Amino acid sequence: MLPFLTLFGIVAFAFVSTNLDNLLLLVGWQLDGRLKVSQLFSGYMLGMLAILIISITIGLVGYLFPIEYLGLLGFIPIAVGIRLLLKPPAEERGAVEVLGSTSAVAGTQLSNGVDTVLVFSPLLADSQFIFDVEIALQFLLLSVLWFVLARLVGRRAAELAWMSRAGRWLTPVVMIAVGCYIFANTATDLNL
């Protein structure tokens, strides 16, 4: 039971930290008002499902490597996390531009999900199948909860500044932490 609970915490933390920017996008689209809630939800979920499928596919490639080397995949999120920490903050952008369709939302979510793929792919590659299923189900559940949170936050848009500031350092730190988790010999690893 402890491996499932540990993995639950890791997945939730990784999801939240790599999707703060997506939360802001969802709130921006909601505030813009040109999309119906159903368009926004279906586009968001299509994009998140594509991110999950890409992560699973890359994670499955991990099964082609000898088990003792899978932990080395932890270098990917660590390297990206360090790069993000050292990268100067991007210039502030104006309001989120809405293209006005479900496919535009899905495409934006997908193109904005590289950090999520970089964290979840090695996590899936390093885990046993039963834990892969837990990761995938939890990812989908968190995606729905994230959308609900965006709807709630949209009502309090004035308080969004803290999310931008937190996302600047939280995402790289979590990527590094997940990379270290992948390096560690844990109860969710394939080599037990």
Side-chain angles (χ1 to χ4, degrees), residues 15 19 22 26 29 35 37-55 101-113 116-117 139-140 142-144 147:
F15 183 91
N19 284 285
N22 289 334
L26 284 169
W29 277 317
L35 291 174
V37 174
S38 61
Q39 287 177 302
L40 189 55
F41 180 74
S42 27
Y44 170 71
M45 289 308 293
L46 282 172
M48 295 307 284
L49 186 59
I51 289 168
L52 179 60
I53 290 169
I54 290 167
S55 297
S101 72
T102 300
S103 59
V105 173
T108 303
Q109 290 301 129
L110 180 58
S111 66
N112 200 36
T116 306
V117 170
F139 184 92
L140 293 172
L142 287 168
S143 295
V144 172
F147 184 83

